[in-house]
Amino acid sequence: MSITSSPDEASVPGSSSTVECLDKKLVCVEYPASVSRVDKMLETVGGERGVSRTYAYPNRRLELRFRPQDPFCHPLCGNRFPASNLLLRVRRRVRKKDPKDAQIHMEILGIIGTTYKFQGMVDFQCLAVHSEEGKHTSLYDKIILRKSENQEYFEQPVPFFLPPPIFSRLDSPVDYFYRPDSHHKLVRGLQVPSTRENFIGLNRARRPHNTIFINFIDASVPSEPLEAAKVNWQRVCLKDCDRQAEEDMRKMFESRPIWSRNAVKANIDIHPEKLKLLLPVFAYYMVTGPWRSLWVRLGYDPRKNTEAKKYQMLDFRIRCSTKHGYSISDMPVKAKRSSLDYTLPITFNKAVPQPASVMELPAQEGPSTSRQPVPVRYQLKESSYIFKEGMLPPHRQMFYQLCDLDVESIKKVIERNSGKESACDERDGWCEVGTTDELRDMISAMIKKIIRSQRPSLPEFPVKRRRSGLTLRPRAKAVEEEDNNEEDEEEEEEEDEFHPSEGSENEMETEILEYM
């Protein structure tokens, strides 16, 4: 499309013309190098397909590899920016006899809505090269598989080549001003903690919740809460619903001396932040032993009461392996967190404001209001802490109390030594030694039965591969040989079986920090 104007308009300074814009969206890449061959340039950014794949994810950065055939090439990342530009094609025709006589034609090819800019520094590059006695030898043909190789290929000696697992954490320069730590000051050459309270810290000061933590080996248990815990709760106990939650909590611990956090959440509808302040007023937290990660009523010592056996904690985790007849992909219960849910170095996160819901807006005062705001509920479901026969746990790891296992066969195992409890064991508590492992096996068998009823196509006896040549054994023969060689395969089965933790504190670390 050429832009032409009348002679009168051309003589007027600042005159403009109206053009028609094509409805064609384009993506611009500001390439940080001189381009002589377009095909080579596109290959460094993954081609048109690679750019399209990156454009499909708004939070992903565009990778540029100067050596696209080198798997060890560290990329240069370009950031994505919104743009509102036009792509013009300008042609200038000049008459040979008279160079001053020129004609310019402009054509609009499309609208650029997104631009990728490479604003960071190019990071270090790692070459697969072996240097010895001033000579450099390439290792690409020795360490990169280009075709199927035999065993001799993998046994040949190769010089060590260990690329760094990570390069620079930031690709843009940052000014770092070396300053002394504001928390310390020098007194006669020694660092002494500063007593000033008006310094500006980098992190928010921790808000103490004044929880009392008790280990299994501690001699006594507290009978009264900390005074600061009472003050913190009185500071936030302002509404009628808060006073009702306090009364409900008092009745709960009067009827049952030990509760798990999920059980409390399922019986009281209270904000999680207020629950952190209310629990230390009525109970202390057990860190180790058979009641670990549970809240115990102040003044109650479960180590001296045999009735506390039914309140013990069972750390149960669903077993997923081929030995149990199903794999992780066959498990209907999904994990809380995925190993793929992490931020890659080639991505960046932007704080995006969350859209407000109309149902969450406060109602206006006056007779014109036709709908009341929907109340927010924080109460959990019953399945978050109770296990019944025929149900699947909501998560792969559950902390059950023995009294919340509503299965008759499990109750018989727990009450097997009723009236004969002699000592409280740190692992099994008032139960017989090995009871916790037996209960885990029983629950695992129930879950396996449920999974097989939902997916009848799962194999009953999984076939294991053996390295006897390159063939697989028939199924019947495999089962027969497994029965004859149980002792030989005992070590192999132990690797597949999951062993629950025995008093590990890693699962409770987050919860403990919340109540400190």
Side-chain angles (χ1 to χ4, degrees), residues 110-160:
I111 301 175
I112 300 175
T114 302
T115 302
Y116 287 95
K117 299 180 182 180
F118 294 87
Q119 299 175 326
M121 299 183 296
V122 180
D123 208 338
F124 300 99
Q125 298 294 318
C126 185
L127 302 177
V129 176
H130 178 65
S131 302
E132 187 176 2
E133 297 180 358
K135 297 181 180 180
H136 304 285
T137 306
S138 176
L139 300 177
Y140 288 101
D141 295 334
K142 297 182 179 180
I143 62 178
I144 298 178
L145 286 176
R146 306 185 187 276
K147 59 179 182 178
S148 301
E149 301 288 350
N150 52 16
Q151 187 67 21
E152 297 178 357
Y153 177 84
F154 299 96
E155 295 179 354
Q156 63 179 350
V158 178
F160 289 107

Side-chain angles (χ1 to χ4, degrees), residues 76-190:
L76 174 64
C77 296
N79 297 327
R80 176 172 176 166
F81 295 94
S84 56
N85 302 325
L86 298 177
L87 179 62
L88 300 179
R89 177 185 291 171
V90 181
R91 295 179 180 178
R92 184 172 180 268
R93 300 178 62 185
V94 181
R95 192 181 299 275
K96 293 183 180 180
K97 295 181 180 180
D98 188 5
K100 296 182 180 180
D101 187 6
Q103 187 179 10
I104 298 176
H105 293 274
M106 292 183 296
E107 180 183 1
I108 300 178
L109 301 181
I111 301 175
I112 300 175
T114 302
T115 302
Y116 287 95
K117 299 180 182 180
F118 294 87
Q119 299 175 326
M121 299 183 296
V122 180
D123 208 338
F124 300 99
Q125 298 294 318
C126 185
L127 302 177
V129 176
H130 178 65
S131 302
E132 187 176 2
E133 297 180 358
K135 297 181 180 180
H136 304 285
T137 306
S138 176
L139 300 177
Y140 288 101
D141 295 334
K142 297 182 179 180
I143 62 178
I144 298 178
L145 286 176
R146 306 185 187 276
K147 59 179 182 178
S148 301
E149 301 288 350
N150 52 16
Q151 187 67 21
E152 297 178 357
Y153 177 84
F154 299 96
E155 295 179 354
Q156 63 179 350
V158 178
F160 289 107
F161 172 69
L162 299 175
I166 189 172
F167 288 81
S168 299
R169 190 168 60 92
L170 301 175
D171 56 359
S172 57
V174 178
D175 293 332
Y176 187 87
F177 301 98
Y178 293 90
R179 301 191 183 101
D181 191 356
S182 59
H183 293 268
H184 298 80
K185 61 181 181 179
L186 291 176
V187 178
R188 296 181 181 179
L190 300 176

Side-chain angles (χ1 to χ4, degrees), residues 143-409:
I143 62 178
I144 298 178
L145 286 176
R146 306 185 187 276
K147 59 179 182 178
S148 301
E149 301 288 350
N150 52 16
Q151 187 67 21
E152 297 178 357
Y153 177 84
F154 299 96
E155 295 179 354
Q156 63 179 350
V158 178
F160 289 107
F161 172 69
L162 299 175
I166 189 172
F167 288 81
S168 299
R169 190 168 60 92
L170 301 175
D171 56 359
S172 57
V174 178
D175 293 332
Y176 187 87
F177 301 98
Y178 293 90
R179 301 191 183 101
D181 191 356
S182 59
H183 293 268
H184 298 80
K185 61 181 181 179
L186 291 176
V187 178
R188 296 181 181 179
L190 300 176
Q191 282 193 354
V192 180
S194 177
T195 57
R196 295 183 303 167
E197 298 181 355
N198 57 349
F199 64 85
I200 300 177
L202 298 179
N203 300 323
R204 176 180 64 84
R206 181 176 295 277
R207 300 171 183 171
H209 298 93
N210 304 288
T211 302
I212 303 176
F213 298 96
I214 298 297
N215 293 307
F216 183 80
I217 59 176
D218 292 342
S220 60
V221 297
S223 58
E224 293 292 334
L226 299 178
E227 190 64 28
K230 298 180 181 179
V231 174
N232 284 347
W233 172 245
Q234 294 299 329
R235 178 173 50 86
V236 298
C237 184
L238 304 175
K239 301 180 180 179
D240 294 337
C241 59
D242 299 332
R243 301 184 186 94
Q244 182 64 36
E246 180 182 358
E247 185 64 24
D248 294 342
M249 182 78 72
R250 179 179 290 104
K251 293 180 180 179
M252 285 177 57
F253 278 98
E254 288 177 356
S255 61
R256 175 170 159 178
I258 303 176
W259 291 85
S260 64
R261 186 172 65 165
N262 282 349
V264 173
K265 288 183 177 181
N267 288 272
I268 294 181
D269 187 14
I270 185 175
H271 194 280
E273 294 299 326
K274 291 187 177 181
L275 180 62
K276 296 178 183 179
L277 301 177
L278 180 58
L279 272 173
V281 178
F282 294 96
Y284 63 89
Y285 189 86
M286 288 288 290
V287 182
T288 57
W291 297 275
R292 67 187 184 93
S293 75
L294 299 180
W295 291 88
V296 185
R297 186 179 63 201
L298 292 169
Y300 184 83
D301 192 350
R303 300 167 298 180
K304 300 178 181 179
N305 295 273
T306 57
E307 296 179 356
K309 178 175 65 174
K310 58 183 178 181
Y311 303 122
Q312 292 178 192
M313 193 273 296
L314 178 67
D315 181 3
F316 175 75
R317 308 179 192 185
I318 298 179
R319 302 168 181 175
C320 299
S321 66
T322 55
K323 175 190 174 183
H324 300 95
Y326 54 88
S327 59
I328 297 179
S329 59
D330 302 323
M331 172 57 58
V333 182
K334 301 302 179 182
K336 285 184 180 180
R337 304 173 185 87
S338 173
S339 59
L340 302 177
D341 187 13
Y342 61 91
T343 303
L344 295 173
I346 60 173
T347 61
F348 64 95
N349 296 325
K350 288 186 176 181
V352 180
Q354 298 295 330
S357 175
V358 179
M359 305 300 294
E360 297 176 357
L361 296 178
Q364 299 179 0
E365 297 181 358
S368 59
T369 57
S370 60
R371 179 178 295 180
Q372 296 295 331
V374 177
V376 181
R377 297 186 61 85
Y378 307 98
Q379 198 166 355
L380 298 181
K381 296 181 180 179
E382 188 183 60
S383 60
S384 61
Y385 74 103
I386 292 180
F387 178 78
K388 297 181 180 180
E389 191 171 3
M391 65 172 289
L392 284 174
H395 307 293
R396 294 186 181 179
Q397 181 182 11
M398 297 294 297
F399 293 95
Y400 290 118
Q401 289 184 259
L402 300 185
C403 60
D404 296 328
L405 299 176
D406 192 7
V407 181
E408 292 298 329
S409 58

